[in-house]
Amino acid sequence: MATHVNPGSAQAGDHGTIHREVSPEQQTVEQRLVDSVVASFGACQDPRLQELMVSLVKHLHSFIREVRLTEEEWGVAIDFLTKAGHITDEVRQEFILLSDTLGASMQTININNQAYEGATEATVFGPFFVEDSPAIELGDDLAFGAPGEPCWVEGTVTDTDGTPLAGARIEVWEADEDGLYDVQYDAGKRAGRAHLFSAADGSYRFWGLTPTPYPIPNDGPVGKMLDAVGRSPLRASHLHFMVSHEGARTLVTHIFPEGDPIGRKDTVFGVKDSLIKRFERQPAGTATPDGRVIDGTWSRVRFDIVLAPVDV
Ligand code: BEZ
Ligand code: FE
């Protein structure tokens, strides 16, 4: 009986895919099922929902057929999703972690925040933003006692023509030197985060902490998956920003220190070259921009933020 490479499989050696041969009769059985599932969405009244469901089913079946999924593997996948559901609650979102570690979050961000003439690039949101961060004034410290090396952060917020944007809301959040966010200690704790507003000339400045690498929460099924495939759970060091201003596209981004040991191996694929900044370490005793005396070393970084117009 003639055999054929199953549909959807890659060329020999491409991405390591192993070809398996499937008889024409078997292909007909499999394709008939795909066709009937696709047809089951024929009466859907919402065209976008219909497009999403049909495409999802086609890709899902194509994956199952390409890898010739075993029933045991199907069971492992169901068990994985069940565990992801069980560990998910108001503060722990395992499905977003899964999306992040498969690059699906970053791809969705790429599609929805397309590059715009010199505007600052976006990256992943992450799970640790909270709505009620403390307000600080320009030049204040957002550490609120979180441990870590002090870092002076300054820059401007402008539109893509270079016009300063006064009163832009700048939300900043970051992990402490032990790699933990405030909410990981206690849901009500607020430290290592704040919001402030840009001045009339678009400038902003604050004290934060020099970012350090830390692992994503890896005590659940996503951590096990990373372990099983030999991937590190570490994120490149970063400082989160969300910047908004009327008439501008809200920017969710990070900055990453140049020379970071994790760098491009960031486990959620969030690093973009334009977001890598020079954090200059200052020896102990160096005068700070606001005349403070700091016992140990500190660092400083400049991050000029350019917001794209809304609806681009
Ligand atoms: C974070 O930046 O903290 C983060 C982002 C994605 C997944 C987990 C953590
Ligand atoms: Fe983070």
Side-chain angles (χ1 to χ4, degrees):
M1 184 189 300
T3 53
H4 296 259
V5 171
N6 59 300
S9 72
Q11 294 303 300
D14 186 11
H15 310 301
T17 305
I18 301 160
H19 281 179
R20 291 159 184 100
E21 300 200 329
V22 179
S23 70
E25 294 79 2
Q26 176 65 18
Q27 285 195 43
T28 304
V29 170
E30 294 172 11
Q31 189 57 44
R32 200 176 292 137
L33 175 60
V34 178
D35 293 344
S36 20
V37 184
V38 166
S40 74
F41 298 108
C44 177
Q45 295 299 301
D46 178 339
R48 176 63 175 162
L49 178 60
Q50 185 182 50
E51 180 187 7
L52 293 171
M53 294 311 295
V54 166
S55 181
L56 174 66
V57 161
K58 284 184 178 167
H59 284 277
L60 180 62
H61 282 255
S62 171
F63 162 73
I64 293 169
R65 297 171 76 191
E66 179 181 313
V67 302
R68 310 311 295 167
L69 192 72
T70 67
E71 288 171 283
E72 195 192 346
E73 288 161 347
W74 177 90
V76 171
I78 296 297
D79 188 45
F80 176 91
L81 293 173
T82 306
K83 289 195 167 103
H86 286 161
I87 204 170
T88 295
D89 60 21
E90 252 111 86
V91 286
R92 175 72 179 261
Q93 229 304 352
E94 198 73 1
F95 293 102
I96 296 183
L97 273 190
L98 178 61
S99 163
D100 291 342
T101 51
L102 298 183
S105 306
M106 200 58 223
Q107 195 66 284
T108 309
I109 289 159
N110 285 340
I111 290 165
N112 289 280
N113 296 268
Q114 296 200 14
Y116 184 84
E117 305 170 2
T120 304
E121 291 191 280
T123 189
V124 286
F125 197 41
F128 298 118
F129 174 75
V130 299
E131 294 285 349
D132 61 348
S133 68
I136 58 167
E137 299 298 323
L138 290 163
D140 280 355
D141 189 349
L142 59 69
F144 293 109
E149 181 187 68
C151 178
W152 175 256
V153 185
E154 65 189 341
T156 53
V157 185
T158 62
D159 67 13
T160 48
D161 296 327
T163 308
L165 296 177
R169 183 180 173 111
I170 306 169
E171 291 274 357
V172 185
W173 66 106
E174 63 176 325
D176 65 19
E177 67 179 1
D178 297 319
L180 292 170
Y181 284 82
D182 48 4
V183 291
Q184 292 177 286
Y185 292 100
D186 162 2
K189 185 173 158 83
R190 298 289 176 265
R193 73 174 71 237
H195 67 272
L196 65 159
F197 295 91
S198 56
D201 63 354
S203 67
Y204 74 90
R205 63 209 77 95
F206 62 87
W207 282 102
L209 300 173
T210 310
T212 50
Y214 65 85
I216 63 166
N218 63 341
D219 55 344
V222 170
K224 283 211 173 64
M225 178 275 286
L226 292 177
D227 219 26
V229 298
R231 272 177 57 182
S232 159
L234 287 176
R235 286 225 59 199
S237 309
H238 61 274
L239 183 57
H240 290 262
F241 282 78
M242 179 162 71
V243 187
S244 50
H245 190 276
E246 210 190 329
R249 183 168 79 186
T250 294
L251 172 70
V252 174
T253 197
H254 312 345
I255 51 173
F256 302 91
E258 197 177 83
D260 185 69
I262 307 303
R264 285 257 167 215
K265 294 200 195 99
D266 183 34
T267 200
V268 303
F269 309 97
V271 179
K272 290 180 169 172
D273 287 342
S274 69
L275 301 175
I276 298 174
K277 304 289 170 197
R278 178 163 300 150
F279 283 65
E280 291 169 11
R281 175 148 292 121
Q282 311 293 316
T286 314
T288 69
D290 57 351
R292 287 193 193 193
V293 178
I294 294 178
D295 284 346
T297 58
W298 55 282
S299 70
R300 63 186 301 167
V301 62
R302 182 166 187 93
F303 178 35
D304 292 323
I305 299 163
V306 181
L307 298 185
V310 79
D311 295 334
V312 291

